Amino acid sequence: MVATRNHPSTFPSPDLTPSKATAPRPKPYPTLPWTHTPKALTLLWLILSLPLVAWDSGYVIFRPHTMPGGKWHQPLYTPYALYSTVDYMYGWPAYESGNGFTLAQGSLNVLESIGYLAYLYVFCMHGEGQWALAEGQRRTIRGGWGGLACLLGFSVSLLTFSKTALYALNEHFSDYRYIGHNSLSRLVFLWILPNGAWLLLPAYMIYAFGKDILQGLSIAGGDQGSQVARATKPSSSPRASSKSEKRNTVSITSKGLVPTKGD
C-alpha cells in the first residue's frame, strides 16, 4: 500500500477580496509634431496668379481709362480689347448700364490678394528649411505661425472659389446676358477655361489647407491615434511597443491571489 504525503486535511480558502492596488493608467500618447508645409502647386499658383489678379483689378477699378480708347489702355491693357468683346461685364455695355457687379468683384480681388500676400509673408519670414519646391525640401512653418498660415490660406482660397462661382452663377441666372453672344468654341477657350482655373486651383487649396487644419486640431484635441493625426508622419510611433509595456497579472497560489509582473 502506497503511503500518501502528509498534508492539511483541508486546503486554506483563497482570499478572493479585490486587490486594493489600482490598475495602472494607460500611458499617454507622446506629443506629435505638427507643421505646415505648403504644397508645390499652391506656391506655383500664387506666384502666377497674384500678378494676374493685380492686373485685372487695375483694369476694373480704373475704368474707363483702362478700356479701349482710354488714356491708360495701351500698352498695359491691350489684351482687354479682345476680352471685353467676349465678356461684356468687362466691356462698354456693363459699364454704360451702371452695372456695379464687376467693380464689386474687383474690390474683392484686392482683399484676396492682401490675404495671399500675408500668407506668403508668414511663409517667408517664419518658415524653416530650404527655398525649394521639391518634396521634403520645402520650407516648413511650425507652431502658431503654421496655424496662422493655414487659416489665412484656407480662408482666402475659399473667398477666391466663392467669388468665381458667384461670377459664373450670376451669368447663368442673368440668362447669359453678357456672354451669350459668343460661339461655343470662343466661349470655351476665352471664358470657361481661363475662369475655370480660378475654380479648380482654389478648390485644391481648400482641400490642402483644410487637411492640415484637421491634423492640427486632431492632435491638439488628444486624438493622436486617428488616421487624420497619423497623417502628420511623426518621427516616432505614437503608441509604445507592446513588448516594452509591463502588465500586472494575477496567479492563484496556496496563499491566495498573488499579483505578479509579466515581461
Side-chain angles (χ1 to χ4, degrees), residues 230-242:
R230 289 199 304 269
T232 54
K233 299 179 181 179
S235 55
S236 60
S237 174
R239 296 184 180 272
S241 173
S242 60

Side-chain angles (χ1 to χ4, degrees), residues 4 11 57 77 81 118 144 172-173 190 192 195 197 219 232:
T4 59
F11 287 98
S57 300
Y77 294 106
H172 174 72
F173 290 111
L190 296 178
I192 294 178
N195 288 287
I219 294 174
T232 54

Side-chain angles (χ1 to χ4, degrees), residues 126-216:
H126 299 281
E128 304 173 3
Q130 303 178 14
W131 295 94
L133 293 177
E135 187 70 27
Q137 299 180 4
R138 247 166 286 136
R139 290 175 68 81
T140 294
I141 314 172
R142 302 178 181 275
W145 287 111
L148 176 61
C150 278
L151 183 61
L152 283 170
F154 181 85
S155 302
V156 184
S157 299
L158 186 59
L159 170 62
T160 304
F161 180 88
S162 302
K163 174 178 61 68
T164 309
L166 180 63
Y167 192 87
L169 290 172
N170 180 64
E171 278 297 324
H172 174 72
F173 290 111
S174 299
D175 199 22
Y176 302 99
R177 177 181 179 183
Y178 296 102
I179 62 173
H181 59 282
N182 295 284
S183 64
L184 180 60
S185 60
R186 181 181 170 93
L187 187 64
V188 168
F189 289 102
L190 296 178
W191 196 85
I192 294 178
L193 290 180
N195 288 287
W198 268 262
L199 284 173
L200 294 178
L201 274 300
Y204 167 78
M205 292 165 62
I206 291 171
Y207 167 78
F209 286 120
K211 183 179 179 182
D212 279 0
I213 291 173
L214 284 177
Q215 289 173 353

